[in-house]
Amino acid sequence: MRRIGVHRVFLPTRSRLLSYQVVTVSDGGEVTDCVPLSREQAATEWWGGLLVVAPEVVERLSDESFEDFCRRLSDRYATASESICPLRAFHVSPFDAAALQFTPDSRLRPVR
């Protein structure tokens, strides 16, 4: 199990963008918790940037803006049940967390 601290977490199943969160990922790669970063916690890795937490592999379309990416995924997963579908985390790197924008080199990589 690992705990990862990030600037932002996007949850398309809830159409929510959260700030300063700690995401817990099981050894099997499933997201088990997402809580606000309110204090320093032991054994938390700071990755920064953005994590996308979704029921399946997500990809950014060519030249897609972050706003369009969020809208597309929110529409796609609007009816997904988090209790039925295990959630996976994908780290976006690099990502401009202050401007909420992808960079030309932004890539989504699964968290394992």
Side-chain angles (χ1 to χ4, degrees), residues 3-96:
R3 284 196 300 264
I4 302 165
V6 291
H7 292 100
R8 309 270 192 224
V9 172
F10 178 58
L11 301 163
T13 55
R14 299 182 197 171
S15 297
R16 303 260 333 255
L17 181 65
L18 306 173
S19 296
Y20 296 100
Q21 299 288 305
V22 175
V23 177
T24 304
V25 180
S26 73
D27 292 337
E30 292 182 16
V31 173
T32 59
D33 203 8
C34 181
V35 296
L37 176 64
S38 57
R39 60 181 169 73
E40 191 170 324
Q41 297 178 25
T44 299
E45 305 169 46
W46 179 255
W47 286 17
L50 171 72
L51 282 182
V52 177
V53 175
E56 60 188 10
V57 174
V58 292
E59 295 180 2
R60 176 186 177 204
L61 301 178
S62 179
D63 295 324
E64 184 175 40
S65 71
F66 181 63
E67 183 178 327
D68 290 342
F69 172 84
C70 291
R71 187 177 306 110
R72 178 174 59 85
L73 266 59
S74 292
D75 289 347
R76 180 176 181 169
Y77 297 116
T79 60
S81 171
E82 292 178 12
S83 62
I84 296 172
C85 304
L87 298 176
R88 305 285 179 178
F90 302 88
H91 187 232
V92 180
S93 177
F95 182 75
D96 186 338

